[in-house]
Amino acid sequence: MKNNIRKLVMVGFLLLVILVMAACNSNNETGEAGADSSSKDYPNKPIQVVVPAGAGGDTDRNTRITAEYLSEELGTDVVVSNVNGAGGTVGTKQVLDENSDGYTVLAFHNSLIINSLLELADFSYEDYELAGASIQDLGNAFIVHAESEYTDLESLIEAAKENPGEISIATETGAFTHLQLLAFQEATGTQFNIVDVGGAAEKVKALLGKQIDIVPTQLGLVQEYIKSGDFKALGIMAEERLENAPDVPTFKEEGVDVSFDKFFFWAFPKDTPEEVVEKFSSALENVANNPDFKAELDPHLVNADYMSPEDLQCHFESLTEEYKALHENSNE
């Protein structure tokens, strides 16, 4: 009798195990089918773009122009949201914490590397699904007020050596310009009073009000002030002069071997479906090759330049090593 009861219990237990396994398999199949379906339909609602910078700067401007063309390519609204703060780390972290469904994407630039190097962030480009880059900027410049006594890099360097730590120069701690300043000091043997005044728009305001002596920023962002006679450009950190700004010399022409290129990339939270990233990247490539997009960028002195996710990965790896060396040599 006891043996019969034991057999019945065992049979019941085995049946229960079989039912549970069948239910699990069914749920997995349903979930995978749902994910595939969702990826195939992507996008079927608006996409939020997080810009970790304030309104009015070059990051904001470049992203909004690209987003307009992406909306046409993807057939849905691509909505830009500014999430400023802490050199960009507030916005970049927000994207990491979002759902990896393809409906939140980061639009940023080189500062992601510098945030990590300066230990403002405990994450890096490796924590995202890279979707590609769309714009390159070779017009990173030093700008002064029109009434400034500095007319070129030579006069600026001479004054800085005579008055170490007194000439003020604007940045946002942990941002791209911060690394530029460290490299400039290292290359010229100078020491400036580096002041955190905020993002690009805040730097322009500070220079207009003569609250700062030097502003490193994108040449295209301030060219109207240069044309109006409010500002002067001392030079750009590029290998060659810009075709649309031939009167502005390069730092190298002025004897300072410092050059930087700024690239604007797009990235999703980790584990975003591969099909989603591929579709977005393909749309980004179409935008970068669009003649109307290129023409719209020309007045801002930046170039349409598509980088695939694979090329972008290599670019990040190369620049990270370069920036590490610059940071170590700066002793800051």
Side-chain angles (χ1 to χ4, degrees):
M1 183 65 178
K2 287 182 180 179
N3 287 339
N4 290 337
I5 292 175
R6 190 177 293 121
K7 287 179 181 177
L8 286 172
V9 170
M10 286 297 296
V11 169
F13 176 74
L14 289 172
L15 285 172
L16 179 61
V17 170
I18 291 169
L19 287 172
V20 169
M21 291 179 66
C24 289
N25 288 336
S26 175
N27 287 339
N28 287 339
E29 288 169 3
T30 302
E32 288 169 4
D36 288 343
S37 175
S38 176
S39 298
K40 288 174 182 174
D41 293 343
Y42 177 84
N44 55 30
K45 64 180 182 180
I47 299 170
Q48 181 195 24
V49 183
V50 174
V51 175
D58 56 334
T59 311
D60 177 63
R61 179 203 63 206
N62 292 342
T63 302
R64 290 182 186 276
I65 293 173
T66 309
E68 181 182 338
Y69 285 85
L70 277 173
S71 293
E72 295 177 10
E73 286 289 336
L74 293 168
T76 191
D77 290 335
V78 178
V79 183
V80 176
S81 174
N82 298 91
V83 184
N84 198 11
T89 57
V90 177
T92 51
K93 181 66 168 60
Q94 178 175 311
V95 173
L96 279 182
D97 294 338
E98 292 286 346
N99 292 330
S100 54
D101 56 6
Y103 290 97
T104 302
V105 61
L106 171 69
F108 202 29
H109 52 68
N110 313 46
S111 286
L112 184 64
I113 303 172
I114 300 154
N115 290 166
S116 178
L117 279 180
L118 298 183
E119 299 182 346
L120 295 178
D122 59 0
F123 51 87
S124 71
Y125 66 91
E126 296 169 317
D127 295 293
Y128 297 86
E129 300 291 351
L130 301 178
S134 53
I135 292 176
Q136 184 186 44
D137 178 10
L138 300 175
N140 300 286
F142 272 16
I143 307 295
V144 297
H145 195 278
E147 297 175 7
S148 171
E149 62 186 283
Y150 314 121
T151 55
D152 50 27
L153 289 189
E154 183 180 2
S155 59
L156 173 64
I157 294 168
E158 183 179 344
K161 287 183 175 178
E162 290 176 356
N163 305 283
E166 292 189 12
I167 300 173
S168 60
I169 191 161
T171 188
E172 183 178 14
T173 302
F176 186 41
T177 53
H178 193 170
L179 190 69
Q180 294 170 6
L181 302 184
L182 298 182
F184 186 79
Q185 289 185 148
E186 171 66 19
T188 58
T190 53
Q191 186 69 42
F192 289 86
N193 175 21
I194 298 177
V195 183
D196 187 339
V197 299
E202 286 76 21
K203 291 191 190 90
V204 170
K205 290 177 186 174
L207 190 58
L208 279 171
K210 300 181 185 177
Q211 297 160 342
I212 201 86
D213 294 315
I214 315 289
V215 162
T217 193
Q218 198 257 334
L219 186 62
L221 195 64
V222 295
Q223 61 178 332
E224 292 304 318
Y225 292 104
I226 294 174
K227 289 178 182 176
S228 66
D230 292 304
F231 291 168
K232 296 184 294 188
L234 299 186
I236 57 170
M237 292 167 258
E239 297 293 329
E240 298 177 354
R241 297 191 183 202
L242 299 182
E243 184 177 341
N244 292 335
D247 296 332
V248 181
T250 67
F251 277 31
K252 288 193 174 183
E253 288 178 286
E254 298 188 82
V256 179
D257 189 13
V258 171
S259 65
F260 284 93
D261 72 286
K262 191 174 185 179
F263 64 102
F264 294 85
F265 70 90
W266 300 70
F268 289 95
K270 203 69 175 177
D271 297 327
T272 298
E274 185 178 341
E275 298 85 352
V276 168
V277 178
E278 287 178 351
K279 188 163 188 178
F280 190 94
S281 181
S282 177
L284 194 62
E285 182 174 14
N286 291 341
V287 169
N289 290 327
N290 187 325
D292 292 337
F293 177 66
K294 294 179 179 179
E296 193 163 343
L297 294 181
D298 276 346
H300 303 296
L301 307 181
V302 293
N303 306 317
D305 187 14
Y306 173 74
M307 255 191 276
S308 69
E310 294 77 19
D311 290 341
L312 180 58
Q313 171 83 18
C314 293
H315 198 55
F316 263 119
E317 291 172 358
S318 174
L319 283 185
T320 299
E321 292 306 311
E322 180 184 331
Y323 290 0
K324 276 182 182 176
L326 282 173
H327 183 231
E328 288 170 2
N329 291 335
S330 72
N331 295 318
E332 292 197 20

